[in-house]
Every structure is written in structure tokens, then in C-alpha cells.
Amino acid sequence: MNDSLSDAEILEMLAQHLITNPVFDALFEGYQFTRHNPMSLAMQSVLDLLQRHHLDKEADSLQAFYASVRLRASGIESAAGKQKIVLELYDKFFRNAFPKLTERLGIVYTPVEVVDFIIHSVEHLLQTEFGQGLGSPGVHILDPFTGTGTFITRLLQSGLIPPGQLAHKYRHEIHANEIVLLAYYIAAINIEAVYHSLAGGDYVPFEGICLADTFQLFEKDDLIDQLLEKNSARRTRQKALDIRVILGNPPYSAGQASANDNNQNVAYPNLDERIRATYAARSTAANKNALYDSYIRAIRWASDRIGGSGVIGFVTNAGWLEANSAAGLRRCLAEEFSSVHVFHLRGNQRTQGEQSRKEGGKIFGSGSRAPIAISFFVKNPDYAERGRIHFHDIGDYLSRDEKLARIAELGSIAGLSEANAWRELTPDEHGDWLKQRNDGFADFISMGDKRDSKSIILFDNYSSGVKTQRDAWCYNASRAQVGTNLGQMIDFYNGEVERIGQATAGLSKSAMDAQVESLINNDPTRVSWSDNLKQGLLLNRRLDLDESCLTHSLYRPFTKQWLYYDRRLNERVYQMPRIFPDSAAENRVIYLSGSGNSGRDFSVLITDRIPDLNLQHSGGQGFPLYLYDVAAAAPASGAHTADLFSAETADSAPAGRQRRHAITDAGLAHFQAAY
């Protein structure tokens, strides 16, 4: 199914099946799910082989839980009532039992108002653009990240599929994928139960659902296993279809927050290469990592999947609308699609103060602090024009309930059209849609530019602040406590070097790389792992505490901390060693907030201490008064400190390095000419 699945994750899948099967039997008695679903049959065949090890004894402690579910389910006949129980159970059970999976896949549940709005909007676009509807023969519909099946169940209940078309549509033209086994089970049961309540008659399994990693499907062909043959057949059949409609809620996840989580997102070489060749190639941002967030991967994948004709309806993080790194994405969307409709729901709770109040409630509650947008992308080959962009902002100060009520009141984007609420956007040459930049800034001299060596710049070098990747160990208000904390971590790390060195003795470097993740102790109270520290471990590199590395830093605005300043234990020091080569070095640094801080006001500080990377919100850049170069020989005694506005730039510094002003000659001449 996916090369990245570990043995532990496969065991988790078996556990999910073992624990939840009795729940489904209690809730959906008579639906024969476990006797028809290919994944359920495959899982059960494995567990039947393991029964000789008395697995039933392992589940004894769950009998009271099963009894409570049966009691709750008794007397509930409606599909909606059963769905409610299953979703509550799934939400509470899943988030507690499998928190890493929830975090990695960005699992959040879509409010039904949003689901209905997307379904009816797609219907409206199909009718107006193609003269067809969701119920039309030949219109294949796919929810590639189906979760618990809400989009498909609401589609069946929407009334948009004529009763005469319902059976054919259900059996042949509605499709869904889900990678999480438990969610896949619930989605299949939900969809089957809703269809049965509408169509009546005998139980009909939903054969359009696949246990699949949607992104992985087109990376390479399946390896057909006897146990999963039927599921693989479904996947192969789906891949050959001409999909016209893709709708759903893609996962939101840019990557793990900490290497201790051992929970990095899966790589998809073919899909990521498509992003590099399109979105990244058309972006001028230096850091393009955000373009590999799961929801942006979903947009790239969906655009390729529908080919030259179709409709995509997604609810996603809205960061792509304004982010500098997403300029290439916006350029490509305007070129690939005949029209784009964006309904901005706001809710960015990474803002503060009045701006945060304006952003209003979070559509997904605690599931996401990001701004949210419902977006529709249409490819109509009959339209020569490309990139008609329609935008509507839901407005300021609205609570979550008020936003959902507004969405329900509109019903679809047809409601926005009738209210004449769309604002047509014309992208500028930089790929900006909103808050378009003033080109007058291009007339100013750059503070610094590391990509164009010929441009006139003011500062010869600049740098982000120190990124330790282990702030809890490397920073403290107490100098002694930094030493104590790091001493304990270093002792633990050195112990891991010895233990893992013995465990991997005789293995090649590649074999050690493959095993290190499963061997290291990820206890966050003992160590904060990062890529560099893991590489040091693989190289059998021991660490020692060096008291001379302790120095003052500016950790947050007006908040000095002691820092252990050493590239062996700081993940990234960037150009800081040329600005603050050691604790004795004198300097002043103008520190700006990072260019990617959407929703935050621009801010600037000056500091004479080593700045942290996140001194100003998230990321930032520091422009120094001085730069320190390694000197060929110690400078002559009595050398004076040159004035900033004189032509002389040589400067005095301790033996072994030479200090000079960071202002360039061309930058100085530029301002001398002006003033």
C-alpha cells in the first residue's frame, strides 16, 4: 500500500480492526460489513491465524466498553443517529489512541455546512460550465481524502442524484480513498448505511472505496498481495477512470514539529517533482518548503488528475492566498484553470489583538488555527480565457457559528453570485492576488541580496538568528541551569552513541541510516533530536560541555537569556559566526520580522546580543554593523575603529580575526550621493 508503512503502523491497523469490529457489529447489525469489505476480510484472516495466541484475552478489558456501545446503539434506527455515535467514538478514540497519526495526516472533521456548500457549488459549476450535474451519467466523482465519508454520505442525501440514477451512481461512478484503516471502515459503513436507507432492499456493499494513500497511487504500481487482492483491484480500476469531479478536505500538514516525534511526512518523489517543476519554479521565495504541505500537494495532484476538464472543490488552509512562497502556486492556478472561485472564511488565530478579533471564529474549532478558504477550480476546455479569479471575504468579527450560519444561508456559490458578492481579482506581475505590492519599492536599494551578486546592496552580509532546535536545553535565564540541563542531555546523548554504536557494529552507513529511527530513544525529557544530532550519532561523534560557549542572547523582544552558542548543539547558526564569532565579540544587529509572517505587523528591533531565529514572531533576518573575518595575521596594535561615514573600513579586533563594517562601499556611496 505504501513503502513507508512500518511494522508498528501495520500492528496499529490490526489493533484498530480488532478493537472496533465488535462496535460495528453492534451499531450496524445486519449490514454484513465484515463479510463483504475486502480490507475487513483481509485483516480478519490475519487475526484468525493469531487467535491461537489467545488475542481474545487481550480484549477482555474492553467488554464493558462494547456493552456501553451496544446499550447506546439500541433503539437508534436512523442513519444520522448512528453516524453521530460513530463520529463521536472515532473522534474521542482516535485522537487519544493514535495522536501521532492524527498530527501527521492533519486529521480534522469538516462541518456539515461546509460539506453541503461544496457539494451544491460543484453542482452549480457543472450545470453552468458543462450543462451536466453530479447525477449525470459518466460524471465520475472522487473524494480522495474521505475521512469518515461525510462528503459522500451528504452527496447521497443531497437530492442532487435523481432516484433513477442513484443505484448506478453508487455502484459505478462515486469513488473514495482513505489511508487510515479505522476511518476507512467508518466511511464504508456510513456510506453503505445511508445508501440502504435511501434505496431500501438488500444490503449492497460500496465498492467505490479503497484503502489507499491517494498521493502514493500514481507513484508506482501496486504490489498485489493475495490478502489485499480485492482492494488492489479497486485501486487499479479507479486509476483507469476519467475523473471529472474531485471534492473533499485535504489533510493539513507541513511536517513534524520536532525530530523527537519521529513522525515526518511521507515523501512522494513524482508528485513533489511536479511541484518543483511548477509551483516552486514559478516562485521567487528563498524558502519553498511550505509548497510541500499536504494541502498544496492535494491541489497539485487534483489538477493533474482531472486532466483538461473538470471541477475541484476543496476546503483548505488559506495561507496560499497571500504567502510569498505561494506566488508560483497562484501563477500556475491562474494559468491552468479557466476560473477559480475562493470563499475566504478567515479565522487566522496566529494573529494577535484587534487583528485576531477581526479574523473571528475558527471553522474547524480546535482542529486548526490557520485561516480557511473554500476554493473551486474549474477547467473548461471550451474557454480560451484562463484565470478568471472570483473572491469573496466572509467579513470581520464573525463567530464560528455566525460563519457556519452564513455558509448555510448562501447554500452554494450561486448564492454569492445572486448577491453580486464576488470581487474579481487581477493578479499582478509578481503573482499577488491580495495586498498587491507597490512597485515603487523596486526603486530603492536592497538591504541585502544573496541571489544577485551584481546588485547594489547596503549590507555585505546578513543572517537569520540562531536556531537551536532544542531551546529547552540551550536557553535559560540562569547561566548555571543551562550548563546543568545541557550536561544531562550530553551525558544521555553520549550514552546513545555508545549503545547504538554497539547495536549497529559492522553495518554500512546506509544500513545504519535505515535503522537509527527505530533504535534511538525519543524521550523528550532526555534529549531533543534533530537531523544534525542524529548525523553526529551515526558518525560516533561524542560531545563535551564547553563553558566558554555560554553567552547572553536576545531570545524574544526585551527578553535576554543565556544561550549555549555552539554549532554542534545549535541546529543552524547560519551566518551568525561572522556577526558574533564568540561571546566577547561586539556588534549591533537590526533584526526584522520574517517575510513570511502573514497576519502579523512588520516589526524591527536592534540588539547587541545574539538574536534567536524567532526573536520577531516566526523567522527573521539580522543586519549587522560589523562583520568579523578570519585575519591572515593579527592586526597592528593601536589600530583605530573607523567611523561609519569615512572611506576607511579596516577595523581592529582580537588576534586571529579582523573586524570591518558591514555597510558596503556601494551602499555608502549611494547614501552619500543622496544626502
Side-chain angles (χ1 to χ4, degrees):
M1 203 177 78
N2 190 318
D3 287 347
S4 70
L5 282 175
S6 66
D7 287 352
E9 287 169 321
I10 294 168
L11 286 173
E12 277 189 1
M13 292 169 72
L14 287 165
Q16 289 170 33
H17 175 85
L18 179 69
I19 291 167
T20 55
N21 234 21
V23 174
F24 299 147
D25 288 342
L27 280 172
F28 298 95
E29 190 177 4
Y31 277 96
Q32 305 171 342
F33 170 79
T34 55
R35 293 196 291 278
H36 286 86
N37 183 274
M39 287 309 304
S40 179
L41 289 168
M43 291 286 170
Q44 193 59 47
S45 68
V46 174
L47 291 172
D48 288 344
L49 291 171
L50 297 174
Q51 284 303 333
R52 62 186 132 181
H53 297 289
H54 306 294
L55 282 183
D56 52 326
K57 295 294 182 188
E58 299 289 338
D60 280 352
S61 60
L62 295 170
Q63 294 310 313
F65 165 63
Y66 294 143
S68 72
V69 172
R70 281 192 291 271
L71 181 64
R72 237 187 119 184
S74 62
I76 297 177
E77 297 300 329
S78 72
K82 291 181 178 182
Q83 282 176 297
K84 186 171 185 291
I85 291 179
V86 168
L87 290 175
E88 285 181 4
L89 176 68
Y90 177 57
D91 192 23
K92 291 172 183 174
F93 167 73
F94 201 81
R95 288 187 181 280
N96 286 286
F98 306 103
K100 283 189 178 181
L101 197 57
T102 303
E103 181 181 335
R104 189 176 79 237
L105 298 178
I107 296 171
V108 291
Y109 307 101
T110 317
V112 71
E113 295 88 347
V114 173
V115 174
D116 289 348
F117 185 90
I118 290 175
I119 291 168
H120 285 84
S121 296
V122 169
E123 171 74 10
H124 171 74
L125 288 166
L126 286 172
Q127 294 284 359
T128 55
E129 298 267 352
F130 303 99
Q132 294 180 302
L134 289 164
S136 299
V139 176
H140 284 270
I141 303 159
L142 171 63
D143 178 356
F145 320 100
T146 202
T148 52
T150 308
F151 277 86
I152 303 301
T153 58
R154 295 302 292 178
L155 170 62
L156 295 173
Q157 294 166 332
S158 67
L160 297 173
I161 302 173
Q165 291 287 335
L166 186 61
H168 177 80
K169 208 80 187 174
Y170 174 79
R171 289 174 182 268
H172 303 291
E173 294 182 356
I174 297 176
H175 315 278
N177 295 335
E178 177 52 46
I179 189 176
V180 178
L181 181 70
L182 180 55
Y184 161 88
Y185 279 170
I186 292 171
I189 290 174
N190 275 340
I191 293 165
E192 290 165 4
V194 166
Y195 175 75
H196 183 71
S197 71
L198 293 169
D202 295 334
Y203 170 87
V204 181
F206 178 50
E207 296 189 358
I209 191 167
C210 303
L211 185 70
D213 179 346
T214 290
F215 296 149
Q216 187 74 19
L217 272 179
F218 290 86
E219 290 291 317
K220 61 183 179 182
D221 291 334
D222 280 356
L223 296 172
I224 307 299
D225 182 272
Q226 185 178 354
L227 282 174
L228 304 180
E229 186 176 354
K230 289 184 179 179
N231 186 64
S232 294
R234 288 184 181 183
R235 290 150 56 109
T236 301
R237 187 165 61 246
Q238 184 197 108
K239 287 167 69 174
L241 293 172
D242 182 20
I243 299 294
R244 291 295 98 223
V245 171
I246 295 176
L247 44 71
N249 176 4
Y252 306 176
S253 180
Q256 64 186 3
S258 164
N260 278 58
D261 297 337
N262 194 13
N263 198 33
Q264 187 58 275
N265 285 357
V266 178
Y268 303 96
N270 293 342
L271 178 57
D272 291 348
E273 179 54 38
R274 284 287 293 141
I275 291 174
R276 271 189 289 277
T278 54
Y279 302 163
R282 302 293 302 280
S283 173
T284 57
N287 187 342
K288 303 177 185 181
N289 291 345
L291 292 175
Y292 301 91
D293 190 300
S294 297
Y295 83 90
I296 292 180
R297 279 172 166 164
I299 295 172
R300 179 67 274 164
W301 177 88
S303 177
D304 292 339
R305 185 66 180 90
I306 64 169
S309 177
V311 179
I312 301 166
F314 279 159
V315 55
T316 70
N317 184 321
W320 64 272
L321 283 167
E322 296 185 48
N324 185 43
S325 60
L329 163 65
R330 293 190 294 271
R331 286 189 174 106
C332 290
L333 292 178
E335 293 168 5
E336 292 177 25
F337 294 94
S338 51
S339 65
V340 176
H341 293 75
V342 180
F343 186 10
H344 197 350
L345 305 180
R346 308 282 290 279
N348 184 359
Q349 291 307 307
R350 295 192 177 102
T351 54
Q352 294 176 323
E354 185 65 15
Q355 183 58 43
S356 177
R357 287 187 285 276
K358 278 187 174 183
E359 289 290 316
K362 305 188 292 291
I363 286 292
F364 289 107
S366 60
S368 173
R369 297 177 62 229
I372 301 298
I374 302 173
S375 304
F376 302 94
F377 310 101
V378 180
K379 286 187 181 179
N380 188 336
D382 294 336
Y383 278 53
E385 185 184 359
R386 283 284 179 271
R388 291 174 298 140
I389 300 163
H390 307 278
F391 178 83
H392 178 69
D393 188 318
I394 199 166
D396 295 338
Y397 302 112
L398 297 177
S399 67
R400 178 179 187 268
D401 289 344
E402 287 171 328
K403 290 178 181 180
L404 293 176
R406 174 66 174 152
I407 293 166
E409 176 191 352
L410 289 165
S412 75
I413 60 172
L416 288 167
S417 299
E418 290 164 7
N420 199 27
W422 291 115
R423 170 182 155 206
E424 192 141 351
L425 303 180
T426 303
D428 66 15
E429 62 179 294
H430 308 289
D432 297 334
W433 290 8
L434 304 169
K435 297 182 181 175
Q436 295 182 353
R437 68 193 72 181
N438 183 338
D439 282 330
F441 279 98
D443 297 332
F444 295 127
I445 186 175
S446 297
M447 289 183 70
D449 191 336
K450 293 179 180 177
R451 286 172 292 185
D452 183 0
S453 60
K454 296 179 181 178
S455 64
I456 298 176
I457 55 175
L458 182 57
F459 288 89
D460 193 36
N461 203 354
Y462 58 94
S463 177
S464 292
V466 172
K467 176 185 180 182
T468 73
Q469 209 76 340
R470 50 190 64 83
D471 288 7
W473 310 92
C474 291
Y475 281 108
N476 203 286
S478 161
R479 186 181 192 278
Q481 195 62 49
V482 177
T484 300
N485 292 345
L486 264 181
Q488 292 172 352
M489 195 198 89
I490 288 171
D491 288 344
F492 179 79
Y493 164 83
N494 288 337
E496 287 291 276
V497 169
E498 184 173 345
R499 182 178 68 82
I500 291 173
Q502 292 172 354
T504 58
L507 294 180
S508 65
K509 175 69 163 56
S510 59
M512 290 173 65
D513 282 342
Q515 290 197 28
V516 69
E517 297 293 352
S518 60
L519 289 174
I520 61 175
N521 186 332
N522 282 308
D523 183 354
T525 66
R526 309 294 300 276
V527 67
S528 289
W529 290 109
S530 62
D531 289 342
N532 283 0
L533 203 59
K534 288 176 183 176
Q535 287 304 309
L537 182 144
L538 289 170
L539 295 171
N540 201 34
R541 185 184 297 145
R542 292 173 172 273
L543 296 175
D544 295 302
L545 188 70
D546 183 353
E547 293 277 337
S548 68
C549 293
L550 287 164
T551 184
H552 270 128
S553 74
L554 195 63
Y555 183 62
R556 293 293 181 267
F558 318 110
T559 309
K560 280 198 287 190
Q561 296 267 300
W562 284 96
L563 164 68
Y564 190 81
Y565 182 42
D566 178 7
R567 67 170 66 245
R568 294 172 302 171
L569 283 163
N570 303 150
E571 186 70 1
R572 297 285 184 272
V573 293
Y574 303 108
Q575 293 294 306
M576 275 297 145
R578 292 199 60 203
I579 297 171
F580 288 101
D582 55 44
S583 59
E586 179 187 341
N587 217 329
R588 281 169 174 70
V589 177
I590 300 169
Y591 205 79
L592 316 180
S593 51
S595 59
N597 276 291
S598 58
R600 302 259 193 182
D601 289 336
F602 175 76
S603 183
V604 59
L605 289 170
I606 190 165
T607 176
D608 59 357
R609 306 292 177 180
I610 299 168
D612 181 75
L613 171 68
N614 297 318
L615 168 62
Q616 295 277 59
H617 312 317
S618 176
Q621 296 289 347
F623 295 84
L625 176 60
Y626 302 120
L627 289 172
Y628 288 85
D629 300 325
V630 176
S637 61
H640 67 281
T641 301
D643 183 79
L644 177 62
F645 296 100
S646 71
E648 187 180 352
T649 58
D651 210 343
S652 62
R657 64 173 188 259
Q658 186 168 346
R659 189 176 80 182
R660 62 184 175 88
H661 283 288
I663 301 292
T664 65
D665 292 344
L668 180 58
H670 177 87
F671 282 92
Q672 284 175 331
Y675 294 110

